[in-house]
Amino acid sequence: MEPTVAEHVVRQLAKWQVPFVFGVVGDTVAPLVAALGKQERIRYVGVRQEDAAGFMASAYAKLTGEVGVCLADGGPGCVKLLNGVYDAHFDRVPVVALTGQAETTKIGTRWPQVMDQDLVFHEAAGAYNHTLTDARQAPQALYQALRAAFEQHDVARLGLPKNIQQQKVASVLYPRPTYGNWAGARAAGGRAGAADARAGAAGDGAAGVAPAAAAGDVAVGATAGGNGALRTHGVATGGATAAPAAAVDEAARRLAEARRPLILAGRGAARAVEPLLRLAATLDAAVVHTLPALGLIPWDHPLNAGVVGEFGTPAAARLFGQADVVLVVGSTWWQPEYAPDATYIQLDTALPHVGMAFPVDIGLLGDAAATLNALIERLGGAEPGARGGRKGAARTQTHAHVDATRGERGDWRAEIEEARAQWHAELRRRTTADGADALHPGEVAAELGEHLEDGAILCLDVGDNTFWVSSGLKARRLTALVSGHWRSMGFALPAANAARLVERKRQVVAVTGDGGLGEVLAEFTTAVQHELPVLCIVFRNGSYAEEKHAQMRLGLDAHGAAFHNPDFAAFAEACGGAGIRVERPAQLRDRLAQGFRSAFKDGRPTIVDVPVAEVMPDYPMARGGLQKAKEVPELAHL
């Protein structure tokens, strides 16, 4: 017996091993939601508003490298879905959005809630965008949407008119391809949600052009799947191979001659941290990283200067601004005011990312770990765990360059040490004044780091709270999920809910301001309904602090930024979760510990309500010299 189109959609998603569909039920998706309810292979996760469904699909894709799927009713529902869908689009992760539509006989008749969805999703659905006009299109169209989303690491949308969902169709189920990066991604990440499923060195940073963020990583490392397959315009072209030898030779020569080398690591470096740090030790190179790469580089590593950019650390800004050769690994982050007039070498698995956001002198198209190991070999690299040691390799001209310049880098090594010392001294000054009723937000960020276990998943919202965490968290090994380029408030809690569905054993913590949490507060009931023990820590100061401070920096009267908060702890209890409120600064450590026990020992969704002082962040001074784009060289070394 032939299935309906709605039933076929569910069967095809199950064929691709899609584990979750996030959405809000509505009239035009009723047949599809009913079909989801008749089977057990895919879990339908109902949420309270559509943008949360989009955020959850995006966060799922960022965490696992797999296709996230969300659905929304037509009209207002799919318009609200756009917010989460744009997050996936700008951070270049694979998401399929299924949108309901009125019956085809009602389209064009000014029927309520009918709009041109193809037009509305024209930009956001960059991989595929189509509304069915005939039931017979469904098998091929859905296959094209799934494939395009994964291959291009972008959003695909399929519109499903209600009457077509109910029509019968000859169901042809297309299997997920088993060649190239398709198989590798499943092996490395898949439903297990491995944080390093992003693999390779897939560029991760269009977000870096956002005006007030250090966030920079387009979390698309799964372009390399688990095997580092290269991508040319979104198409896999090979296995875990290093960049071409000529390009590696030239990059090694430039790095060897550098007096002030620096490595900028994005999330695309997730599976190449060990060779990246060995290369840094070989060169005495400073290491900075983007916000989505928070937790990749050990906080206490002697070469780590922290997050770079406006929401970053003073050490990263200082060292980045002085570098003469910059190796960018797995990122397309770019804030030109922080960038030096330097030689740029970019390592990525995706050809479109190389030179996309900043001028590149040498492009290295290859797997991150393999290419970094090749560079280390050319440079006579440091042994694992060593700083500046040498293998017993034959001397080469490149090795000689390294040896010659090493003695000239004494001032640079001293600069790194001094920058780190000043940064850490600044962190120690972020303390709450005696007798204060509210905590210094930097002190909250520092204390949070004491409770996070290795492997924790940290979901960050947007606002001043992000600055305090990015610049002050003493991060252990963790996975950070952020709304990078889109920078939408309200991301953290839905992202944490999605992460908890995937990872049941790791700590999943959302950090948000009261402004961001207020936008999605109902999603705490989603956590309770679906038994998702997440911990949500809210920095409460009663205002959109980042926007208020922006007004003040412009010399304007702060207006419109204040708001009234509920008692977040009482709200959590009323929803059936756990609520903990910090009443006095001295309670912070114990109340945070109580929150971690409540969520991860007792298994209850928990909110910890922390009053924080309204402290204006002292953003790091821009030290770069590349105020205007320099002439872009030909990328002859790819």
Side-chain angles (χ1 to χ4, degrees), residues 134-514:
D134 190 291
R136 290 169 293 184
Q137 293 178 322
Q140 182 69 13
L142 180 56
Y143 170 66
Q144 293 293 345
L146 286 163
R147 185 181 181 109
F150 187 86
E151 286 188 341
Q152 298 178 39
H153 277 258
D154 204 344
V155 175
R157 183 199 68 92
L158 185 63
L160 302 168
K162 183 178 177 181
N163 61 319
I164 290 181
Q165 291 179 55
Q166 298 171 295
Q167 293 172 10
K168 300 288 186 178
V169 66
S171 182
V172 178
L173 297 179
Y174 292 88
R176 178 188 173 107
T178 57
Y179 47 81
N181 64 300
W182 296 84
R186 173 64 64 183
R191 292 171 63 176
D196 64 357
R198 246 109 355 244
D204 59 2
V209 301
D217 296 8
V218 176
V220 299
T223 52
N227 62 0
L230 304 186
R231 286 184 171 272
T232 303
H233 300 290
V235 180
T237 60
T241 56
V248 174
D249 288 342
E250 178 63 13
R253 184 182 68 80
R254 297 289 188 98
L255 288 166
E257 294 173 348
R259 268 52 177 185
R260 299 180 302 281
L262 180 140
I263 299 175
L264 167 58
R267 192 168 181 184
R271 292 177 64 242
V273 173
E274 189 273 334
L276 185 149
L277 292 179
R278 280 203 291 132
L279 179 61
T282 299
L283 295 167
D284 284 316
V287 179
V288 300
H289 58 83
T290 58
L291 178 57
L294 185 69
L296 289 186
I297 311 298
W299 179 85
D300 57 354
H301 191 281
L303 297 173
N304 181 17
V307 174
V308 68
E310 187 172 347
F311 268 26
T313 71
R318 172 178 170 178
L319 296 173
F320 191 42
Q322 298 180 59
D324 61 352
V325 178
V326 177
L327 172 62
V328 182
V329 182
S331 179
T332 54
W333 176 92
W334 190 244
Q335 288 179 6
E337 64 272 26
Y338 287 89
D341 186 4
T343 295
Y344 285 90
I345 304 167
Q346 186 179 5
L347 168 55
D348 209 290
T349 59
L351 179 59
H353 292 166
V354 179
M356 179 180 76
F358 51 86
V360 173
D361 298 275
I362 301 172
L364 298 174
L365 189 63
D367 174 75
T371 303
L372 291 171
N373 281 323
L375 284 169
I376 292 167
E377 182 180 357
R378 303 296 200 282
L379 295 165
E383 295 290 352
R387 186 177 176 193
R390 283 286 179 274
K391 293 179 181 178
R395 297 292 86 196
T396 67
Q397 185 176 10
T398 303
H399 296 169
H401 276 305
V402 175
D403 292 335
T405 54
R406 174 170 294 278
E408 300 174 12
R409 293 198 193 116
D411 290 344
W412 183 235
R413 293 193 294 273
E415 184 76 5
I416 295 171
E417 292 169 2
E418 182 181 341
R420 280 177 48 83
Q422 291 183 359
W423 165 32
H424 293 178
E426 168 60 26
L427 296 184
R428 290 190 291 271
R429 288 191 289 271
R430 294 177 179 178
T431 57
T432 300
D434 291 340
D437 295 326
L439 287 143
H440 191 295
E443 188 170 3
V444 180
E447 183 62 35
L448 170 62
E450 298 298 319
H451 298 269
L452 292 171
E453 297 176 350
D454 282 0
I457 300 172
L458 188 64
C459 304
L460 299 179
D461 218 279
V462 171
D464 273 3
N465 61 94
T466 312
F467 167 78
W468 298 112
V469 172
S470 69
S471 63
L473 183 75
K474 299 178 182 178
R476 296 180 172 88
R477 184 176 63 86
L478 57 81
T479 299
L481 298 179
V482 303
S483 179
H485 182 71
W486 189 235
R487 298 198 72 241
S488 176
M489 287 198 304
F491 174 82
L493 181 55
N497 286 342
R500 197 57 168 165
L501 281 164
V502 175
E503 295 286 0
R504 303 299 296 195
K505 295 182 179 180
R506 299 163 67 184
Q507 293 177 338
V508 179
V509 179
V511 177
T512 177
D514 44 2

Side-chain angles (χ1 to χ4, degrees), residues 82-108:
L82 271 173
N83 192 29
V85 164
Y86 261 110
D87 180 75
H89 169 65
F90 276 113
D91 279 3
R92 295 299 300 274
V93 292
V95 163
V96 170
L98 303 173
T99 59
Q101 177 62 287
E103 293 87 344
T104 52
T105 56
K106 295 175 179 175
I107 297 174

